Amino acid sequence: MALDPSPLDRAVRAARADEPAGWVDLADSIMARVRRVVVPSEPILTFTAQGTTARDQEGSRTFVSARVITAALRRLLQEHPTHAPETIDLHVDDSRLTSIDIRLVARYGVELHPLADTLRPQILAIVREFLGPDPGIALSTIEIEYVDVTRGDPNRT
């Protein structure tokens, strides 16, 4: 007595037996749309604890996507109701992070200079957590610009 094939086996056989007309064109159209939505991300070189890029005797190097760094910085900058990031721009030259430009919206009444002085070391700590101690990135390479002031939590407006 033959066992009835599972629903998955029947679906696989059906899909292989009859390819819907226009399926290839539809798949190409869908992939083209996905490629337009997903923005490519620049690779950023990481450093060892000694500040070098080589990970072994062969000179292997490791990279982190700029998108990962940007997301981590965005999370940091959205933790408090006193400020929110409008934009975070990472400047990369020859796969090395060279500087960071952050545009912030702040809540009315917040002291802006002390806030920036508090945020820079936190931003640098996040960058070093992902990239290691890059000798080229420092507090002075992190630019914070305030672009707006709002009442209430700028993360909610």
Side-chain angles (χ1 to χ4, degrees):
M1 171 159 73
L3 294 175
D4 209 16
S6 73
L8 179 59
D9 291 333
R10 287 192 307 258
V12 168
R13 268 188 297 184
R16 288 182 179 157
D18 295 321
E19 186 175 286
W23 182 85
V24 173
D25 295 332
L26 181 61
D28 289 342
S29 172
I30 291 169
M31 287 310 297
R33 290 178 186 174
V34 167
R35 287 184 191 101
R36 283 194 302 266
V37 170
V38 177
V39 179
S41 181
E42 250 183 303
I44 300 176
L45 190 58
T46 64
F47 292 81
T48 65
Q50 294 75 31
T52 64
T53 59
R55 296 285 172 171
D56 57 18
Q57 289 78 17
E58 286 81 32
S60 297
R61 301 185 314 169
T62 303
F63 296 84
V64 173
S65 169
R67 199 175 303 144
V68 171
I69 306 295
T70 301
L73 293 177
R74 185 167 300 282
R75 282 191 300 276
L76 168 75
L77 296 170
Q78 290 176 327
E79 285 180 354
H80 301 286
T82 57
H83 56 279
E86 181 181 85
T87 60
I88 300 171
D89 294 321
L90 305 180
H91 300 279
V92 180
D93 185 26
D94 196 25
S95 297
R96 288 185 67 160
L97 182 63
T98 57
S99 64
I100 303 169
D101 290 336
I102 296 174
R103 295 170 52 109
L104 284 181
V105 176
R107 184 174 68 198
Y108 179 78
V110 170
E111 293 290 331
L112 301 181
H113 288 291
L115 177 59
D117 291 342
T118 300
L119 290 175
R120 279 189 190 92
Q122 295 173 7
I123 292 166
L124 185 59
I126 295 245
V127 168
R128 286 187 172 158
E129 178 183 328
F130 284 97
L131 302 180
D134 178 356
I137 194 85
L139 292 176
S140 62
T141 61
I142 301 169
E143 182 70 30
I144 296 177
E145 176 184 0
Y146 293 99
V147 295
D148 199 2
V149 175
T150 184
R151 294 191 182 274
D153 184 350
N155 290 294
R156 299 188 187 271
T157 58

